[in-house]
């Protein structure tokens, strides 16, 4: 079993829709939870970073963490074609990151 | 924001040659840098952790003699793929931790193609 499970998709939504992404994990030692966005042939870009259960909002992005269920989510409101990318969840113990497989999202104009 | 650069961005080499990839933190000091590889449509896999002034720590299954890592200063780490073979073709990405923000920043990646 992988430490971090993420459905690779692909996921296609119309412009303006809400994009819902999620990951599950098995390692209770994970301390920090992140979402990265990666465009084709580029390095990952940090979107959201949290370390506690609950919701965190930043503009159109909302990250949720449920440590009791070992489940994290990312919601993108009012999605735009420019949001089309691969979204990776990542979890951290000390300074080591474990990544999910990444979900490829396409927002159709 | 913090910037991490990689050089070269793309390299094509013949089988059996060695290739060096540089990772630099441009506007912050990084005592710790990481090297990842990513195959097409797959996630990032951590190869090794690089600490300034000490030997790198390699993940299980990564050959330390094949992937040489040097972290000579607080802003530079290098990865040398020795005697490269076609199966080493991949996207190599480095990251660096900013001590001041406790955040890991990623470089743009280096695409290695071994013919």
């Amino acid at each position: 079993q992988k430490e971090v499970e993420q459905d690779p998709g692909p996921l296609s939504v119309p412009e303006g829709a809400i994009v819902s992404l999620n990951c599950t994990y098995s390692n209770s030692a994970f301390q920090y939870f992140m979402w990265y966005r990666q465009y084709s042939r580029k390095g990952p870009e940090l979107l959201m970073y949290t370390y506690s259960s609950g919701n965190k909002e930043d503009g159109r992005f909302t990250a949720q963490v449920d440590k009791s269920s070992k489940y994290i989510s990312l919601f993108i409101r009012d999605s735009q074609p420019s949001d089309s990318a691969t979204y990776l969840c990542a979890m951290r113990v000390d300074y080591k990151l474990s990544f999910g497989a990444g979900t490829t999202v396409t927002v159709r104009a | 924001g913090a910037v991490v650069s990689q050089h070269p961005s793309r390299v094509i080499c013949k089988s059996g040659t060695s290739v060096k990839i540089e990772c630099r933190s441009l506007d912050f000091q990084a005592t710790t840098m990481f090297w990842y590889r990513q195959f097409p449509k797959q996630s990032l896999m951590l190869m090794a952790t690089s600490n300034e002034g000490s030997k790198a720590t390699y993940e299980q299954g990564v050959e330390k003699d094949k992937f040489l890592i040097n972290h000579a200063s607080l802003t530079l780490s290098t990865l040398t793929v020795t005697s490269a073979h076609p199966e080493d073709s991949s996207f190599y990405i480095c990251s660096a931790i900013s001590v001041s923000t406790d955040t890991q920043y990623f470089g743009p990646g280096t695409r290695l193609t071994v013919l």
Side-chain angles (χ1 to χ4, degrees):
Chain A
Q1 182 190 8
K2 294 180 183 178
E3 277 192 315
V4 182
E5 297 279 358
Q6 182 178 9
D7 186 342
L11 185 62
S12 179
V13 301
E15 184 175 359
I18 295 175
V19 175
S20 175
L21 305 165
N22 57 75
C23 291
T24 58
Y25 62 96
S26 57
N27 188 349
S28 299
F30 287 132
Q31 303 160 316
Y32 302 93
F33 306 88
M34 287 139 289
W35 286 94
Y36 286 86
R37 177 174 62 195
Q38 186 177 25
Y39 292 111
S40 181
R41 303 189 181 191
K42 300 290 184 184
E45 170 195 358
L46 180 65
L47 284 177
M48 300 287 283
Y49 176 104
T50 185
Y51 56 87
S52 60
S53 285
N55 293 0
K56 183 176 181 179
E57 200 169 306
D58 184 1
R60 296 184 295 113
F61 299 90
T62 300
Q64 286 185 350
V65 174
D66 183 345
K67 287 188 175 181
S68 62
S69 301
K70 296 189 178 66
Y71 187 91
I72 70 170
S73 301
L74 177 71
F75 300 97
I76 308 173
R77 292 183 299 279
D78 188 24
S79 58
Q80 305 295 312
S82 58
D83 294 326
S84 299
T86 296
Y87 291 82
L88 300 129
C89 63
M91 310 191 184
R92 182 180 134 182
V93 174
D94 296 327
Y95 286 109
K96 291 177 87 171
L97 293 181
S98 295
F99 283 88
T103 301
T104 300
V105 175
T106 301
V107 181
R108 309 185 305 272
Chain B
V3 178
V4 175
S5 71
Q6 280 184 242
H7 178 79
S9 58
R10 173 176 287 193
V11 57
I12 301 172
C13 68
K14 292 182 179 180
S15 185
T17 60
S18 294
V19 175
K20 180 185 282 189
I21 303 170
E22 291 186 349
C23 176
R24 292 182 186 272
S25 56
L26 297 185
D27 50 2
F28 65 97
Q29 293 186 330
T31 54
T32 303
M33 290 184 172
F34 300 88
W35 286 96
Y36 296 83
R37 66 187 298 181
Q38 186 178 32
F39 291 107
K41 299 189 185 300
Q42 294 188 28
S43 191
L44 283 75
M45 298 298 295
L46 179 64
M47 298 174 66
T49 303
S50 169
N51 292 297
E52 188 266 337
S54 63
K55 289 184 178 180
T57 303
Y58 291 82
E59 295 300 301
Q60 192 173 10
V62 178
E63 299 175 59
K64 60 180 68 176
D65 294 330
K66 180 162 188 64
F67 299 99
L68 301 179
I69 292 172
N70 183 278
H71 194 154
S73 76
L74 289 174
T75 60
L76 173 65
S77 176
T78 60
L79 168 69
T80 301
V81 183
T82 62
S83 186
H85 288 91
E87 58 266 28
D88 298 324
S89 299
S90 188
F91 194 50
Y92 291 87
I93 305 173
C94 73
S95 69
I97 293 177
S98 168
V99 175
S100 60
T101 64
D102 195 36
T103 300
Q104 195 169 140
Y105 297 96
F106 284 83
T110 296
R111 184 160 301 282
L112 170 64
T113 302
V114 184
L115 302 176

